Each structure stands twice: as structure tokens, then as C-alpha cells.
Amino acid sequence: MVGMTSTAADAPRSPGRPRSVRADEAIIDAVLDLLADGQTMEALSIEAIAARAGVGKATIYRRWPGKDALLRDALRTLKGAPPVPAGHSVREDLITLLSSVGSGNRDARAMKIMPCLVPEVHRSPEQHRLYEEMIEPRRQVMREVLRRGIDAGELRADLDVDVCMMMTGPMLMQKLLRWRPDIDERELAERVVTAVWGGMATGPARP
Amino acid sequence: MVGMTSTAADAPRSPGRPRSVRADEAIIDAVLDLLADGQTMEALSIEAIAARAGVGKATIYRRWPGKDALLRDALRTLKGAPPVPAGHSVREDLITLLSSVGSGNRDARAMKIMPCLVPEVHRSPEQHRLYEEMIEPRRQVMREVLRRGIDAGELRADLDVDVCMMMTGPMLMQKLLRWRPDIDERELAERVVTAVWGGMATGPARP
């Protein structure tokens, strides 16, 4: 099942763009509006999406084979493209990636939708897969930065890459659970990277 | 507003315990059943709780001043008492605490209720406060272990305690978002502590 978001998400917003692109955008927008209004992914129907987007069901089915493919594209549009790290310093790149957790996009609906995805993930393997597909591009960027650091000799050769990728955990706690409302995201990202960079044990000074 | 969970939660389950304790337990159970069935904290009514528990509303109001106090006690009962670390090694204690994130209790309803609390936390400052009160006893245990490590000279004196407490983040990602279904919790806890203990930067070997 291949969706078609890229046309909707990447198209420049110009009044002259084709009618089909505008329909794609309206459909994706309708999905995100309904999710932000508290609809669950499970309960969401093609009928409701069509009504909200002001198109016929056939228009949706011409573009997406089914609800899952449409949801996948809508969630990817919501997340936006993964951040592109500057590539100068591994440490700075990690801070950039961590700062962008849950705030990489400017869509106000994201803060309503993302926390609601947590219970959804537990509902079925399909919902879990949709979530995984949404975040995999970001995981990939993080993995590459860590591997670059190892190759450059900045990070230890025996680095537990899989676990270090979970440095995003504190950022998610902050976004999803408002863990420390008194610390802003950029500061938290710096402090997380600093803590993990230098380690907890007594010994060498931090960089 | 002071709740009364301790009587319900701490009482040994014996057929001879007083009727009032059994009523407390039935009421707390009813709250947790309703939450596990998908009721939101906001929508939960004293009427529905009373009906499910098989008691009158007056019985509930004699024990709790209102819904918030009852919810607080129900969530604390669900979480159970925070784990008591053995106190021999800071490293082992941290692994124990991390392993217990989201799995410190044996109540099957927890895995249904906890993910659903994430959107709730965003609903109002009151809901957020209920969440904070539920987890604060656990935060306190973690804070004490880290401070003990600093005092003993095992952990660096300039440790960022607030941020290191967020090592629970990867564990929560695992529980709430099934981040790495292929890694079990004890193994993940050990790997997180090892990664943060020794740091990422090239340099000294890990302990």
C-alpha cells in the first residue's frame, strides 16, 4: 500500500497548483482535524473524513487504498520532515535532534494528537506499526549521527547505539507528560546530552 | 483534601477485615475498572463509581471529599508502593528502579490505564497534578539513590540529578510506546544504566 502524501505535503502553497493537490491537502487536513478533535484512529471513518474534507468517498479511494495508508500519510505530514543536523559537531547535532522531539513541526494540532497516540499504540499491532512508520525516519537520522560520531572517534567504539537513541525518552516525557515544565526544551536537550556524554561515574571532566 | 487509600491499599486481604475496608476496596476497584474500560478521568462520575462498586453515593462521600481525592487514591493504589532499593550498590539500585518503571505493580489494569493517562495530563492542570502526585513518591526514591551515590563519591559531584532522574524516559518509551519490543525490561534497565554510567565520549572503560 503506497500513499500519496508527498504530493500534498511537499507541494508549494500556490493558488495555481492543480485541483488534485488541493483535494489531497483537504483530505489530509480533515484527518488531522478529526484526530485533533479527539477522534480515535480506530473510530475514524472514510465517510467522516470525506464529509469534513468536502469531497466524495470515491475521491479518497482514488488516492489511497484504505484508511491505514491515509492515516500513515496524515501522521507523516503532521510530523513533518525529520530535522537535518548541521553535521559539524556530533554533540551539537544530538542537541538539535533532541530539541526537535515532539516540536519538529509547527502544526498546533500535533500537541493534541501526539499524546492521544499513546493509548492508540496499544490498541492493535496495526496502530503500533503506524506509529513506528511515523517515527522511523527520525530514528534513522539519530542513528546516523551516532554512527558518524563512532567513526570519527568522538564516541566510544562500544557505544550502545540502540540505547543511546533512547535519549529521546526524557524529551518525550517532557512533551507527553510535562515532566519538568520549568525547563525549556533547548535547555533540557543540552543537559541530557551533557549528562549522557560525560557519564555519571566519577572520573574525567566533561567536554 | 486527604484521601484514605492507605486503609484500602495496605490492609491485608483477610475475610475477617472490617466491612468499611471492604467498601473502600470495592470503591477503589470500581474506579480502576472504569478507567481500564476506557472511561476518562474527566467523564468519570461518582454515580457510575457507586453503581459499579455496589454502594450508595453517600458511602463514597463519607470516605472521600470528592472525585479528585478518590482518583488520587485509586491511582496510588494502582501504582503500588514505590520499590525499596537494596541499598548496597548505587548501580544495582538504579537498575532496580528503572526495571520497575511501569511494571512495579501486578495489576493487569495498569497497562490499560497508564497509556490513557498521557492525553489526560494535557486536559487540565488538575489532571496534571494528579499525575504528579502519583509519581512523586517514585521520583523521591530515585533522587535519594542518586544523592547517596554522590555522597559516597561513586557518582560525580556535579551530577545533573534532575536530568539523570529522567533516565526513566527510555523505560517509559518502552512501556508506553513499545519502543523496542525485542528487549525485555530488566535488560533495557541494565543497558540504560550502563550507557549513562560510563558516558558516550571516548575515554575510560565502563565499570
Side-chain angles (χ1 to χ4, degrees):
Chain A
M1 295 207 299
V2 176
M4 305 179 78
T5 329
S6 53
T7 50
D10 303 335
R13 291 186 172 262
S14 94
R17 70 200 186 290
R19 205 163 73 110
S20 67
V21 173
R22 275 178 284 144
D24 282 354
E25 285 183 359
I27 294 163
I28 293 281
D29 253 351
V31 172
L32 295 176
D33 282 346
L34 290 166
L35 290 177
D37 284 354
Q39 276 271 15
T40 64
M41 296 200 289
E42 204 173 23
L44 205 62
S45 70
I46 296 289
E47 283 80 358
I49 297 164
R52 182 84 167 222
V55 301
K57 282 167 59 177
T59 307
I60 297 180
Y61 282 119
R62 261 199 304 279
R63 289 164 165 78
W64 288 274
K67 195 174 83 170
D68 270 11
L70 173 53
L71 274 171
R72 182 182 308 124
D73 281 355
L75 292 177
R76 284 201 178 155
T77 304
L78 182 71
K79 284 300 273 182
V84 180
H88 303 308
S89 130
V90 169
R91 196 181 141 81
E92 267 311 311
D93 284 355
L94 289 174
I95 293 169
T96 301
L97 294 182
L98 262 53
S99 301
S100 84
V101 170
S103 54
N105 59 70
R106 277 144 211 91
D107 193 322
R109 291 170 297 193
M111 267 316 288
K112 290 193 176 168
I113 296 174
M114 300 308 288
C116 296
L117 290 186
V118 176
E120 301 261 335
V121 160
H122 293 265
R123 228 162 248 157
S124 72
E126 288 71 36
Q127 314 284 60
H128 184 246
R129 194 170 39 76
L130 280 171
Y131 168 76
E132 294 259 294
E133 287 175 358
M134 175 177 71
I135 58 168
E136 182 51 33
R138 278 148 203 277
R139 283 187 178 174
Q140 191 51 33
V141 174
M142 180 87 165
R143 206 178 276 123
E144 280 162 13
V145 168
L146 292 171
R147 292 202 176 129
R148 209 182 78 222
I150 296 171
D151 291 343
E154 263 195 276
L155 300 183
R156 52 200 308 159
D158 63 348
L159 191 74
D160 191 339
V161 172
D162 288 337
V163 162
C164 285
M165 284 175 60
M166 295 176 88
M167 269 193 286
T168 50
M171 307 307 298
L172 273 175
M173 285 166 80
Q174 181 79 337
K175 271 297 193 183
L176 294 179
L177 296 166
R178 299 191 174 160
W179 187 258
R180 287 292 303 263
D182 55 319
I183 306 181
D184 78 28
E185 268 132 47
R186 170 80 198 180
E187 183 196 339
L188 183 61
E190 286 183 6
R191 287 171 63 178
V192 168
V193 172
T194 298
V196 181
W197 192 272
M200 297 171 71
T202 44
R206 296 184 194 192
Chain B
M1 299 207 294
V2 176
M4 304 176 81
T5 326
S6 52
T7 49
D10 302 337
R13 290 186 173 263
S14 95
R17 68 201 189 288
R19 205 162 74 109
S20 66
V21 172
R22 275 178 284 144
D24 282 354
E25 284 182 359
I27 293 163
I28 293 280
D29 254 351
V31 171
L32 295 177
D33 281 345
L34 290 166
L35 291 176
D37 283 353
Q39 276 272 14
T40 65
M41 296 200 289
E42 203 172 24
L44 205 62
S45 70
I46 295 289
E47 284 81 358
I49 297 164
R52 181 84 170 219
V55 301
K57 282 167 59 177
T59 306
I60 296 180
Y61 283 119
R62 261 198 305 277
R63 290 163 165 77
W64 288 275
K67 193 174 84 170
D68 270 11
L70 172 53
L71 274 172
R72 182 181 308 123
D73 281 356
L75 292 178
R76 285 202 178 155
T77 303
L78 183 71
K79 284 300 273 181
V84 180
H88 304 307
S89 133
V90 169
R91 196 181 141 82
E92 267 310 311
D93 283 354
L94 290 174
I95 293 170
T96 301
L97 294 181
L98 261 55
S99 301
S100 84
V101 170
S103 54
N105 58 69
R106 275 146 211 90
D107 193 323
R109 293 170 296 193
M111 266 317 288
K112 290 192 177 171
I113 296 175
M114 301 308 287
C116 296
L117 289 186
V118 176
E120 301 261 333
V121 160
H122 293 265
R123 226 162 246 157
S124 71
E126 289 71 37
Q127 313 285 63
H128 185 246
R129 194 170 38 76
L130 279 171
Y131 168 76
E132 294 259 295
E133 287 175 359
M134 175 177 69
I135 58 167
E136 182 50 34
R138 277 147 205 276
R139 284 186 178 175
Q140 190 51 35
V141 174
M142 179 88 164
R143 206 178 276 121
E144 280 161 13
V145 168
L146 291 171
R147 292 206 175 125
R148 209 182 80 220
I150 296 171
D151 290 344
E154 262 194 277
L155 301 183
R156 51 201 309 158
D158 63 349
L159 191 76
D160 192 338
V161 172
D162 288 336
V163 162
C164 285
M165 284 174 61
M166 295 173 88
M167 268 193 287
T168 50
M171 307 307 297
L172 273 174
M173 284 166 81
Q174 182 78 338
K175 272 296 194 187
L176 294 179
L177 296 166
R178 299 188 175 164
W179 186 259
R180 288 292 303 263
D182 54 319
I183 306 179
D184 79 28
E185 268 131 46
R186 171 78 198 186
E187 182 196 339
L188 183 61
E190 286 184 6
R191 287 171 63 178
V192 169
V193 172
T194 298
V196 182
W197 191 273
M200 297 172 71
T202 43
R206 296 182 192 189

